[in-house]
Amino acid sequence: DLDIIKAIQIYNYKVIGFSLLQNNFLQTLNLCNKIRETSQTIKIVLGNSESNVYSEWILDNYKSIDVIIMGEGEISFYNVCKAIINNEPVNNILGIYYREKNTYIRTPPQPLIKNLDELPFPNRDVIYTDNNIHHLLGSRGCDGFCSFCESDLIFRTNNKNRNVRQR
């Protein structure tokens, strides 16, 4: 956490994004609050499964969060970053949920990426490491049929016809 806070203070980032999963849920949300204490101007963006399932609860309880990416995030997150960097509004960006004054606004969904080969492979030279453990999510969707899982909300599938989207 301290390394992230120091980097924000040194480099004066305009936007920072986090992938919110079950295993990092509260730790990430608490880090977002610490980041907001450090910088009032940085925009904090969340994405992935847990932020989609608990989006309204997160915006209600964590005022540090500015935008939640709903569904697949590659295009929406890019467009949010571009808007923030160019000091433009985010209201026309598809696939986001955000706070504006005292209300929440959910934009229409971003269409799913039809051809995953259009996406570049991750730059493995900049992957965060922690004690020589490399953190990289390399899948999309799920081949399981768990009735309790929220994966369908993100990838817009259903348990009866679930498939893994792959390249």
Side-chain angles (χ1 to χ4, degrees):
D1 291 5
L2 291 177
D3 290 341
I4 294 172
I5 300 295
K6 285 180 188 175
I8 290 168
Q9 292 169 333
I10 293 169
Y11 297 109
N12 197 28
Y13 296 117
K14 289 189 173 190
V15 62
I16 188 166
F18 293 99
S19 183
L20 195 62
L21 300 167
Q22 287 180 351
N23 65 337
N24 69 354
F25 189 80
L26 290 177
Q27 179 184 4
T28 300
L29 292 173
N30 290 330
L31 175 59
C32 291
N33 283 344
K34 290 178 189 172
I35 291 169
R36 179 60 67 225
E37 291 170 9
T38 302
S39 171
Q40 294 298 309
T41 58
I42 192 170
K43 298 299 181 189
I44 301 174
V45 182
L46 297 179
N48 217 320
S49 59
E50 299 308 303
S51 61
N52 281 233
V53 173
Y54 300 106
S55 55
E56 191 165 333
W57 182 87
I58 291 169
L59 291 176
D60 279 342
N61 293 286
Y62 289 85
K63 305 300 182 201
S64 58
I65 309 302
D66 297 298
V67 178
I68 295 176
I69 304 295
M70 305 300 290
E72 291 184 344
E74 290 86 358
I75 294 171
S76 298
F77 184 60
Y78 171 80
N79 289 333
V80 166
C81 290
K82 191 166 69 169
I84 291 168
I85 289 168
N86 294 323
N87 295 314
E88 297 171 351
V90 297
N91 60 320
N92 290 322
I93 297 172
L94 297 176
I96 64 172
Y97 198 31
Y98 65 100
R99 180 183 301 105
E100 188 170 282
K101 297 182 182 166
N102 293 329
T103 188
Y104 305 140
I105 298 171
R106 185 185 304 257
T107 64
Q110 173 70 43
L112 294 175
I113 299 168
K114 292 189 187 317
N115 181 4
L116 296 178
D117 288 331
E118 292 175 358
L119 298 175
F121 283 97
N123 181 351
R124 296 177 189 272
D125 294 332
V126 296
I127 295 173
Y128 169 73
T129 63
D130 181 18
N131 296 324
N132 285 331
I133 298 172
H134 300 279
H135 303 274
L136 175 66
L137 297 175
S139 65
R140 178 179 303 259
C142 180
D143 61 352
F145 294 95
C146 305
S147 62
F148 58 83
C149 182
E150 68 274 348
S151 179
D152 298 339
L153 295 173
I154 299 170
F155 300 107
R156 288 182 257 157
T157 61
N158 63 52
N159 278 330
K160 294 177 185 157
N161 300 317
R162 184 173 293 179
N163 62 359
V164 176
R165 296 183 66 207
Q166 55 188 336
R167 358 169 64 163

